Amino acid sequence: MSFITIEQAEAILGADFADDGDKARLVKLANTWMRNEIGFVPDPIDHLLQDATCEIIKGIQAGVIYAGVARQTTSESVKADTVQVTETYSEGSVEVSEYEQIAKAYIASLGLKNKSFTFEVFRR
């Protein structure tokens, strides 16, 4: 089961959202991002999740999702007389694109973020 199919993506983004040869890859990558973000695939799939998946497709196409790791700035200094900029980054930080922010907002509105199943173990 997936969050969106090629046909559903075409209905939301338009039939020409990508070349036919790229559509399957884009949908697969977007479905993977969604699965990693939420932790499971709900049944049924809410329409907002399909919209969120389309935002991820747009982010992949814009080159801001799956494009590499950026660092979060923890400090910055600028020296104007020699035009020198120094930045310090937080270890392991990543930049979150507008597409990811929109997708995460849709997910959060449904209360699905990383639901997991837990159980207790008792020893005797």
Side-chain angles (χ1 to χ4, degrees):
M1 179 179 240
S2 62
F3 291 90
I4 200 165
T5 64
I6 293 172
E7 294 77 22
Q8 292 166 328
E10 288 175 336
I12 295 169
L13 297 171
D16 60 347
F17 79 90
D19 293 335
D20 287 339
D22 294 334
K23 289 179 182 179
R25 181 176 182 269
L26 287 168
V27 167
K28 184 176 185 177
L29 288 171
N31 279 320
T32 301
W33 188 97
M34 291 289 291
R35 173 67 191 243
N36 289 336
E37 182 65 23
I38 296 174
F40 68 102
V41 180
D43 185 22
I45 302 295
D46 189 283
H47 186 69
L48 278 178
L49 293 178
Q50 292 175 345
D51 291 342
T53 309
C54 286
E55 288 296 323
I56 299 305
I57 289 171
K58 292 191 292 187
I60 295 167
Q61 290 176 309
V64 295
I65 299 176
Y66 296 127
V69 176
R71 303 256 185 226
Q72 180 181 13
T73 304
T74 57
S75 70
E76 180 178 66
S77 65
V78 178
K79 195 172 188 180
D81 59 334
T82 61
V83 189
Q84 178 182 3
V85 177
T86 305
E87 295 179 318
T88 305
Y89 300 102
S90 174
E91 186 175 333
S93 63
V94 295
E95 188 173 322
V96 179
S97 71
E98 67 182 283
Y99 305 100
E100 291 168 296
Q101 291 176 27
I102 293 168
K104 288 179 181 200
Y106 286 151
I107 292 165
S109 75
L110 298 172
L112 296 175
K113 179 75 170 118
N114 287 324
K115 283 189 177 179
S116 60
F117 299 99
T118 60
F119 58 92
E120 294 183 38
V121 176
F122 297 97
R123 289 188 174 189
R124 288 185 167 205

